Amino acid sequence: MTDPEEQPELLPGMVRASVKASRAKARATRERKAAAAEPAAVDPVARVLVDLPLAHLDRPFDYAVPAAMAQDARPGVRVKVRFAGQDVDGYLVARAAESDHPGRLAPLRRVVSPEPVLAPQVEALSAELAERYAGTRSDVLRLAVPARHATTEREPTPAAPPWAGPDPAAGEAVWAGHEPGPAYLRHLAAGASPRAVWTAAPATDWPALVAHAVAATYASGRGSLVCVPDHKDVARVDAALTDVLGEGQHVTLTADSGPAARYRDFLAVSRGLRRVVVGTRGAAFAPVHDLGLVVVWDDGDDLHAEPRAPYPHTRETLLLRAEREGAAALVGGFVRTVEGEYLLRTGWAHELGATREEVRRRVTVTVAGDAGFRDVHARAARMPREVHQSIRDALAGGPVLVQTPRLGYVNALACERCRTPARCATCQGPLALTGPTTPPGCRWCGTLAEGWACPECGHRGLRAPVLGDARTAEELGRAFPGTTVRTSSGDAVVATVGGRPQVVVATPGAEPVAEGGYAAVVLLDTWLLLSRIDLRAEEEALRRWANAAALVRPGGRVVAVGDAAHPALQALVRWDPAGFAARETAERVEAHLPPASRLATITGEPGAVDDALVLLDAPPEAEILGPVDLGEGESRVVVRVPRAQGLALAHALGQLQRARSSRKLDAVRIQVDPPTL
């Protein structure tokens, strides 16, 4: 039968006209698409890193650049491409004249924005971090590039105001006592790239020292990047940079600033109009132009460890940047981590620190309560008479800081007679008190236990072996009537307090900065921090104590309640974090533990972990430790290799991830150099 469309004269007139119009429209659409798909005359190939969390697809793919997009399709811009039948996001990382792909290239769907947001040095860093941590570049770039804010992107970035220039005399004055600090500043100002591990003395205004190091680098025409643990530290460094550099010379990058403000500050850095950045761990990827100095403060803080895959650490990210971009490095803190000590041992960095005379001048540390410490249940051992006397004497001249490790009121209860832990009759969870008038209740299920009796001895009396900050503040309020007692912990963290006499009870990391410094600092329940079952328990305890003790004013006193014979407390009394780090490092080298070795953990369902071990092509010297049952249907194995085999292990783990991804096997979580075990 003859098709009517092949013989239009057989159709009615109106239908023939409709067919002609449809054909003309289809012809125009084809011509328009052909014109839009016409490749660019110069570098018609775009290499695009597609935003897909699949390890076996973690590589750039080639796409054709239409002539209409040639001007906007620059390296670093966001693009949309067609991949596996759907539109996906990606970054254009390079343009090329030809492709290795023998077939026809699919064109870019569109350029999302002509704003280059992925700098070449950050793109290269993402590849290196993905290789080192056995992750994917798309995961790293999610940490590196903030989400787009279109309205903010259309706004122009104002230029920085004129800078008055550095004050070398002021910089050398604040660094005096930390040798060879003044020489370090002079090297920065001369355009050199010195690397140092800095152990700050107690009662040091460390943000001011960091600001002057940044100013010296800025004077040489280079930028700086400063990473600190939390927003409180960001605020302190922000104020110090404003004092030293003046208004408008730097930006802050934190998640707390909101999407619009963060993207605005990111663009100021990306466009090269600001070259000094301070922020938390996400700022480590800031695309600072002409990077001359990277600073990480308190690198032992667990807030520097990224909780999202591939779990990079701020210190390692910044040191990689310093190595790649030829920048100076400053790893600082009131204590020295074993990683910092290892940098000194290998000669990668030099030591910056206070002299013994300077430390003795600034602080006196004593240990109280040693006699009663070994019976941790003795109430008198928690706050002996010496502590009360020290607080009373210090209140005559200023505020007193009391650090207690636990948050809350009474977080654990035990039988008053036999010391058996008090448990809930319903779920066997621990009993606790939330206030002075509330009955004991379960911390797990919330059931009240008003009629509790000890299952071992039948006694109904309860005691509190561990007290929280709220109960500690209550007891100090009764001991020092008429004195203001305030707390700083949890969601109610206080950033600063005045210099008038008062008692501040704070948990570790929540200690406010006192105007002029604290007259005295008291460290309670030191045994509690030391009792953590963790590779870094002693190192972390010393770090938390030192951070609190360092808030004392010059000439102030620190009193710790604990076992004076413990090496960590001895290091605090001598204020010898360098010696403690050297001892810890030596012990780890003997035990083949990081940083002398490289570790990786593989965690997941037992069957998935077993499959991963079968597929893992580990280096010959690798040790497989485990698997260990973690409960809740998960197990974990640890893979350990000598430090020299670290890159080989990371490569093998990356191959494992790609094999599992391509075969669609059950997922496992891989962490290289986890911060804790």
Side-chain angles (χ1 to χ4, degrees):
M1 181 176 178
T2 303
D3 189 350
E5 289 193 4
E6 296 179 358
Q7 300 181 13
E9 64 276 4
L10 300 179
L11 297 175
M14 293 182 63
V15 176
R16 284 200 304 271
S18 175
V19 169
K20 287 182 179 179
S22 298
R23 288 178 175 176
K25 185 176 180 180
R27 191 183 308 112
T29 300
R30 286 194 299 270
E31 291 174 354
R32 186 173 64 253
K33 287 185 175 181
E38 181 183 351
V42 179
D43 292 337
V45 177
R47 296 204 163 95
V48 177
L49 191 61
V50 183
D51 186 10
L52 293 173
L54 301 174
H56 68 290
L57 300 177
D58 185 33
R59 59 182 177 85
F61 290 87
D62 287 353
Y63 286 85
V65 180
M69 303 181 192
Q71 186 175 355
D72 291 340
R74 296 179 290 169
V77 300
R78 292 180 169 99
V79 294
K80 284 278 189 182
V81 296
R82 197 72 175 168
F83 194 94
Q86 59 183 350
D87 286 353
V88 296
D89 296 319
Y91 294 97
L92 196 159
V93 297
R95 292 275 296 271
E98 56 185 19
S99 172
D100 295 333
H101 180 65
R104 178 178 174 273
L105 296 179
L108 298 176
R109 298 289 281 184
R110 67 186 179 95
V111 176
V112 176
S113 167
E115 181 78 40
V117 293
L118 179 58
Q121 66 270 27
V122 177
E123 190 272 327
L125 176 69
S126 70
E128 190 164 352
L129 283 174
E131 178 70 15
R132 186 191 190 286
Y133 287 99
T136 62
R137 276 181 281 189
S138 60
D139 283 340
V140 178
L141 292 180
R142 288 193 194 100
L143 306 175
V145 183
R148 180 174 180 249
H149 196 274
T151 303
T152 302
E153 192 172 81
R154 289 191 290 268
E155 300 172 358
T157 301
W163 184 42
D167 185 352
E172 294 191 11
V174 298
W175 274 91
H178 293 82
E179 298 301 332
Y184 184 80
L185 294 188
R186 290 193 292 270
H187 278 79
L188 291 175
S193 300
R195 300 163 179 168
V197 174
W198 167 38
T199 308
T204 294
D205 184 14
W206 62 268
L209 276 67
V210 169
H212 280 284
V214 169
T217 308
Y218 204 38
S220 69
R222 299 176 296 167
S224 298
L225 179 53
V226 182
C227 288
V228 295
D230 57 31
H231 67 279
K232 291 194 309 173
D233 294 325
V234 170
R236 294 185 66 187
V237 178
D238 180 26
L241 287 172
T242 301
D243 289 341
V244 175
L245 298 180
E247 293 281 353
Q249 300 293 336
H250 72 282
V251 297
T252 60
L253 292 178
T254 63
D256 298 335
S257 56
R262 186 184 182 195
Y263 196 56
R264 183 180 297 109
D265 290 335
F266 173 83
L267 290 178
V269 178
S270 178
R271 293 167 178 172
L273 296 174
R274 298 293 185 278
R275 289 188 296 165
V276 176
V277 177
V278 58
T280 48
R281 60 175 178 261
F285 299 95
V288 178
H289 290 214
D290 300 319
L291 184 63
L293 173 67
V294 296
V295 181
V296 55
W297 172 258
D298 198 10
D299 63 304
D301 195 310
D302 57 7
L303 291 176
H304 282 303
E306 176 59 54
R308 295 169 292 180
Y311 318 106
H313 194 281
T314 303
R315 178 188 56 246
E316 304 306 317
T317 302
L318 291 180
L319 295 186
L320 276 175
R321 292 196 67 174
E323 189 73 34
R324 292 185 62 89
E325 302 180 45
L330 184 61
V331 181
F334 288 113
V335 297
R336 181 182 300 170
T337 59
V338 292
E339 289 79 9
E341 175 67 20
Y342 203 80
L343 292 175
L344 296 176
R345 286 191 172 207
T346 58
W348 193 89
H350 297 283
E351 182 177 5
L352 276 177
T355 62
R356 298 303 308 165
E357 294 75 14
E358 184 70 14
V359 171
R360 293 191 190 100
R361 183 183 69 83
R362 294 195 182 196
V363 70
T364 301
V365 183
T366 59
V367 178
D370 184 42
F373 172 79
R374 301 186 187 283
D375 179 11
V376 297
H377 305 289
R379 290 290 297 274
R382 185 171 189 263
M383 205 177 300
R385 180 180 303 176
E386 183 180 348
V387 169
H388 284 269
Q389 188 60 46
S390 298
I391 295 175
R392 185 174 292 106
D393 294 343
L395 284 173
V400 176
L401 172 66
V402 178
Q403 184 197 71
T404 181
R406 285 291 175 88
L407 174 70
Y409 192 74
V410 176
N411 294 319
L413 292 169
C415 175
E416 189 177 34
R417 178 182 294 168
C418 69
R419 307 296 197 260
T420 300
R423 295 284 180 178
C424 173
T426 303
C427 69
Q428 295 302 305
L431 298 184
L433 292 176
T434 58
T437 60
T438 57
C442 178
R443 289 170 53 191
W444 292 358
C445 68
T447 302
L448 297 181
E450 298 182 8
W452 179 87
C454 178
E456 298 295 330
C457 67
H459 189 67
R460 293 185 176 274
L462 289 167
R463 67 184 309 279
V466 179
L467 302 181
D469 66 309
R471 178 61 182 269
T472 302
E474 180 183 291
E475 292 187 352
L476 289 171
R478 289 197 297 262
F480 301 99
T483 301
T484 300
V485 180
R486 59 192 308 179
T487 60
S488 176
S489 61
D491 296 330
V493 175
V494 180
T496 59
V497 295
R500 62 183 179 84
Q502 59 185 307
V503 176
V504 180
V505 180
T507 52
E511 302 93 346
V513 178
E515 181 182 352
Y518 290 98
V521 174
V522 176
L523 308 173
L524 296 179
D525 300 333
T526 57
W527 63 271
L528 198 54
L529 290 178
L530 294 170
S531 64
R532 296 170 62 238
I533 303 175
D534 188 81
L535 177 63
R536 297 179 181 268
E538 294 184 10
E539 180 186 349
E540 177 66 7
L542 179 60
R543 187 190 69 82
R544 295 187 178 192
W545 300 333
N547 283 350
L551 297 175
V552 75
R553 64 181 55 163
R557 186 183 181 191
V558 177
V559 181
V561 181
D563 182 4
H566 196 283
L569 275 173
Q570 289 180 357
L572 181 69
V573 170
R574 300 190 308 270
W575 201 273
D576 184 26
F580 182 82
R583 181 182 69 86
E584 281 282 304
T585 303
E587 291 180 355
R588 294 196 190 185
V589 169
E590 292 179 3
H592 304 290
L593 292 172
S597 64
R598 296 285 300 278
L599 293 182
T601 60
I602 304 175
T603 308
E605 295 180 355
V609 172
D610 290 341
D611 291 342
L613 289 178
V614 172
L615 293 173
L616 178 63
D617 184 17
E621 299 180 36
E623 299 176 75
I624 307 297
L625 310 177
V628 175
D629 183 15
L630 301 179
E632 299 182 356
E634 282 197 338
S635 67
R636 181 186 69 195
V637 297
V638 177
V639 185
R640 179 171 64 181
V641 297
R643 189 172 183 85
Q645 297 292 318
L647 289 179
L649 173 62
H651 180 72
L653 292 170
Q655 291 289 86
L656 167 64
Q657 291 282 59
R658 287 184 280 274
R660 295 184 62 80
S661 174
S662 63
R663 300 181 188 183
K664 299 181 180 180
L665 300 178
D666 292 338
V668 292
R669 185 170 64 256
I670 294 178
Q671 274 190 273
V672 178
D673 292 338
T676 59
L677 276 179

mmCIF file of all heavy atoms in Angstrom, residues 1 19 38 82 92 261 274 344 368 379 410 424 460 496 501 504-505 508 527 552:
data_model
loop_
_atom_site.group_PDB
_atom_site.id
_atom_site.type_symbol
_atom_site.label_atom_id
_atom_site.label_comp_id
_atom_site.label_asym_id
_atom_site.label_seq_id
_atom_site.Cartn_x
_atom_site.Cartn_y
_atom_site.Cartn_z
ATOM 1 N N MET A 1 0.852 -1.193 0.000
ATOM 2 C CA MET A 1 0.000 0.000 0.000
ATOM 3 C C MET A 1 0.880 1.232 0.000
ATOM 4 O O MET A 1 1.880 1.293 0.696
ATOM 5 C CB MET A 1 -0.921 -0.020 1.221
ATOM 6 C CG MET A 1 -1.878 1.166 1.300
ATOM 7 S SD MET A 1 -3.003 0.993 2.695
ATOM 8 C CE MET A 1 -3.909 2.526 2.518
ATOM 9 N N VAL A 19 2.133 18.980 7.153
ATOM 10 C CA VAL A 19 3.290 18.105 6.967
ATOM 11 C C VAL A 19 4.506 18.901 6.537
ATOM 12 O O VAL A 19 5.626 18.706 7.016
ATOM 13 C CB VAL A 19 2.956 17.007 5.941
ATOM 14 C CG1 VAL A 19 4.216 16.246 5.531
ATOM 15 C CG2 VAL A 19 1.926 16.045 6.505
ATOM 16 N N GLU A 38 29.034 21.569 16.255
ATOM 17 C CA GLU A 38 30.261 21.798 15.494
ATOM 18 C C GLU A 38 31.422 22.009 16.452
ATOM 19 O O GLU A 38 31.359 22.871 17.334
ATOM 20 C CB GLU A 38 30.092 23.018 14.590
ATOM 21 C CG GLU A 38 31.320 23.308 13.749
ATOM 22 C CD GLU A 38 31.137 24.573 12.922
ATOM 23 O OE1 GLU A 38 30.001 25.096 12.887
ATOM 24 O OE2 GLU A 38 32.130 25.033 12.344
ATOM 25 N N ARG A 82 26.854 14.122 29.324
ATOM 26 C CA ARG A 82 26.023 12.925 29.237
ATOM 27 C C ARG A 82 26.891 11.723 29.571
ATOM 28 O O ARG A 82 27.949 11.505 28.959
ATOM 29 C CB ARG A 82 25.462 12.787 27.825
ATOM 30 C CG ARG A 82 24.287 11.832 27.714
ATOM 31 C CD ARG A 82 23.044 12.414 28.327
ATOM 32 N NE ARG A 82 21.875 11.552 28.128
ATOM 33 C CZ ARG A 82 20.734 11.723 28.762
ATOM 34 N NH1 ARG A 82 20.609 12.734 29.617
ATOM 35 N NH2 ARG A 82 19.707 10.919 28.545
ATOM 36 N N LEU A 92 35.824 20.428 34.043
ATOM 37 C CA LEU A 92 36.691 20.408 32.877
ATOM 38 C C LEU A 92 38.112 20.658 33.366
ATOM 39 O O LEU A 92 38.414 21.736 33.868
ATOM 40 C CB LEU A 92 36.249 21.473 31.873
ATOM 41 C CG LEU A 92 36.781 21.362 30.450
ATOM 42 C CD1 LEU A 92 35.880 22.122 29.484
ATOM 43 C CD2 LEU A 92 38.206 21.905 30.331
ATOM 44 N N ALA A 261 28.302 33.245 52.109
ATOM 45 C CA ALA A 261 29.522 33.894 52.597
ATOM 46 C C ALA A 261 30.746 33.041 52.310
ATOM 47 O O ALA A 261 31.799 33.565 51.910
ATOM 48 C CB ALA A 261 29.402 34.166 54.096
ATOM 49 N N ARG A 274 42.471 37.768 47.160
ATOM 50 C CA ARG A 274 42.891 37.579 48.551
ATOM 51 C C ARG A 274 43.874 36.416 48.550
ATOM 52 O O ARG A 274 43.596 35.368 47.961
ATOM 53 C CB ARG A 274 41.715 37.266 49.482
ATOM 54 C CG ARG A 274 40.668 38.350 49.574
ATOM 55 C CD ARG A 274 41.167 39.614 50.240
ATOM 56 N NE ARG A 274 40.082 40.574 50.400
ATOM 57 C CZ ARG A 274 39.647 41.400 49.459
ATOM 58 N NH1 ARG A 274 40.214 41.365 48.252
ATOM 59 N NH2 ARG A 274 38.663 42.246 49.687
ATOM 60 N N LEU A 344 61.034 15.898 62.168
ATOM 61 C CA LEU A 344 62.345 16.363 62.623
ATOM 62 C C LEU A 344 63.396 15.275 62.458
ATOM 63 O O LEU A 344 64.534 15.547 62.053
ATOM 64 C CB LEU A 344 62.258 16.804 64.085
ATOM 65 C CG LEU A 344 61.356 18.010 64.384
ATOM 66 C CD1 LEU A 344 61.297 18.266 65.884
ATOM 67 C CD2 LEU A 344 61.849 19.255 63.664
ATOM 68 N N ALA A 368 49.073 17.284 92.514
ATOM 69 C CA ALA A 368 48.479 17.153 93.850
ATOM 70 C C ALA A 368 47.699 15.846 93.924
ATOM 71 O O ALA A 368 47.252 15.303 92.918
ATOM 72 C CB ALA A 368 47.543 18.326 94.136
ATOM 73 N N ARG A 379 36.689 9.965 97.367
ATOM 74 C CA ARG A 379 36.218 11.300 97.026
ATOM 75 C C ARG A 379 37.276 12.343 97.313
ATOM 76 O O ARG A 379 37.408 13.329 96.592
ATOM 77 C CB ARG A 379 34.944 11.631 97.824
ATOM 78 C CG ARG A 379 33.741 10.839 97.393
ATOM 79 C CD ARG A 379 33.274 11.281 96.015
ATOM 80 N NE ARG A 379 32.848 12.652 96.041
ATOM 81 C CZ ARG A 379 31.622 13.050 96.371
ATOM 82 N NH1 ARG A 379 30.718 12.147 96.699
ATOM 83 N NH2 ARG A 379 31.286 14.321 96.351
ATOM 84 N N VAL A 410 26.266 13.706 86.809
ATOM 85 C CA VAL A 410 26.899 12.461 87.264
ATOM 86 C C VAL A 410 26.602 11.415 86.194
ATOM 87 O O VAL A 410 25.470 10.949 86.060
ATOM 88 C CB VAL A 410 26.352 12.003 88.634
ATOM 89 C CG1 VAL A 410 26.963 10.663 89.009
ATOM 90 C CG2 VAL A 410 26.657 13.037 89.704
ATOM 91 N N CYS A 424 20.863 -0.578 84.747
ATOM 92 C CA CYS A 424 19.414 -0.548 84.585
ATOM 93 C C CYS A 424 18.871 -1.977 84.593
ATOM 94 O O CYS A 424 19.436 -2.874 83.940
ATOM 95 C CB CYS A 424 19.065 0.164 83.277
ATOM 96 S SG CYS A 424 17.318 0.103 82.825
ATOM 97 N N ARG A 460 21.433 -0.178 99.033
ATOM 98 C CA ARG A 460 20.673 0.757 98.207
ATOM 99 C C ARG A 460 21.382 2.097 98.021
ATOM 100 O O ARG A 460 20.900 2.952 97.277
ATOM 101 C CB ARG A 460 19.286 0.989 98.807
ATOM 102 C CG ARG A 460 18.407 -0.251 98.752
ATOM 103 C CD ARG A 460 16.997 0.039 99.241
ATOM 104 N NE ARG A 460 16.138 -1.136 99.096
ATOM 105 C CZ ARG A 460 15.476 -1.436 97.992
ATOM 106 N NH1 ARG A 460 15.572 -0.644 96.936
ATOM 107 N NH2 ARG A 460 14.722 -2.511 97.942
ATOM 108 N N THR A 496 35.283 33.469 75.372
ATOM 109 C CA THR A 496 36.167 34.313 76.182
ATOM 110 C C THR A 496 35.484 34.648 77.496
ATOM 111 O O THR A 496 34.247 34.663 77.590
ATOM 112 C CB THR A 496 36.525 35.621 75.453
ATOM 113 O OG1 THR A 496 35.315 36.339 75.156
ATOM 114 C CG2 THR A 496 37.272 35.346 74.155
ATOM 115 N N PRO A 501 37.941 37.966 89.108
ATOM 116 C CA PRO A 501 37.973 36.669 89.797
ATOM 117 C C PRO A 501 36.701 35.866 89.561
ATOM 118 O O PRO A 501 35.591 36.355 89.788
ATOM 119 C CB PRO A 501 38.131 37.048 91.270
ATOM 120 C CG PRO A 501 38.795 38.385 91.239
ATOM 121 C CD PRO A 501 38.240 39.080 90.034
ATOM 122 N N VAL A 504 35.946 29.024 86.247
ATOM 123 C CA VAL A 504 35.406 28.531 84.979
ATOM 124 C C VAL A 504 35.660 27.030 84.916
ATOM 125 O O VAL A 504 36.814 26.593 84.943
ATOM 126 C CB VAL A 504 36.061 29.236 83.781
ATOM 127 C CG1 VAL A 504 35.477 28.707 82.478
ATOM 128 C CG2 VAL A 504 35.894 30.745 83.869
ATOM 129 N N VAL A 505 34.591 26.246 84.858
ATOM 130 C CA VAL A 505 34.693 24.794 84.749
ATOM 131 C C VAL A 505 34.425 24.426 83.292
ATOM 132 O O VAL A 505 33.364 24.755 82.745
ATOM 133 C CB VAL A 505 33.688 24.087 85.677
ATOM 134 C CG1 VAL A 505 33.817 22.574 85.544
ATOM 135 C CG2 VAL A 505 33.905 24.519 87.120
ATOM 136 N N PRO A 508 37.566 19.407 78.102
ATOM 137 C CA PRO A 508 38.684 19.595 77.170
ATOM 138 C C PRO A 508 38.224 20.100 75.808
ATOM 139 O O PRO A 508 37.274 19.577 75.221
ATOM 140 C CB PRO A 508 39.294 18.189 77.065
ATOM 141 C CG PRO A 508 38.966 17.549 78.372
ATOM 142 C CD PRO A 508 37.606 18.064 78.724
ATOM 143 N N TRP A 527 43.387 10.717 85.504
ATOM 144 C CA TRP A 527 43.371 9.280 85.249
ATOM 145 C C TRP A 527 42.351 8.900 84.183
ATOM 146 O O TRP A 527 42.514 7.913 83.464
ATOM 147 C CB TRP A 527 43.065 8.520 86.545
ATOM 148 C CG TRP A 527 41.699 8.824 87.109
ATOM 149 C CD1 TRP A 527 41.366 9.816 87.971
ATOM 150 C CD2 TRP A 527 40.488 8.118 86.824
ATOM 151 N NE1 TRP A 527 40.020 9.789 88.243
ATOM 152 C CE2 TRP A 527 39.456 8.757 87.552
ATOM 153 C CE3 TRP A 527 40.163 7.020 86.019
ATOM 154 C CZ2 TRP A 527 38.133 8.329 87.509
ATOM 155 C CZ3 TRP A 527 38.845 6.593 85.969
ATOM 156 C CH2 TRP A 527 37.848 7.251 86.714
ATOM 157 N N VAL A 552 47.166 29.888 81.032
ATOM 158 C CA VAL A 552 47.550 30.596 82.252
ATOM 159 C C VAL A 552 48.309 31.864 81.883
ATOM 160 O O VAL A 552 48.925 31.959 80.808
ATOM 161 C CB VAL A 552 48.399 29.663 83.148
ATOM 162 C CG1 VAL A 552 49.811 29.518 82.594
ATOM 163 C CG2 VAL A 552 48.434 30.137 84.579
#
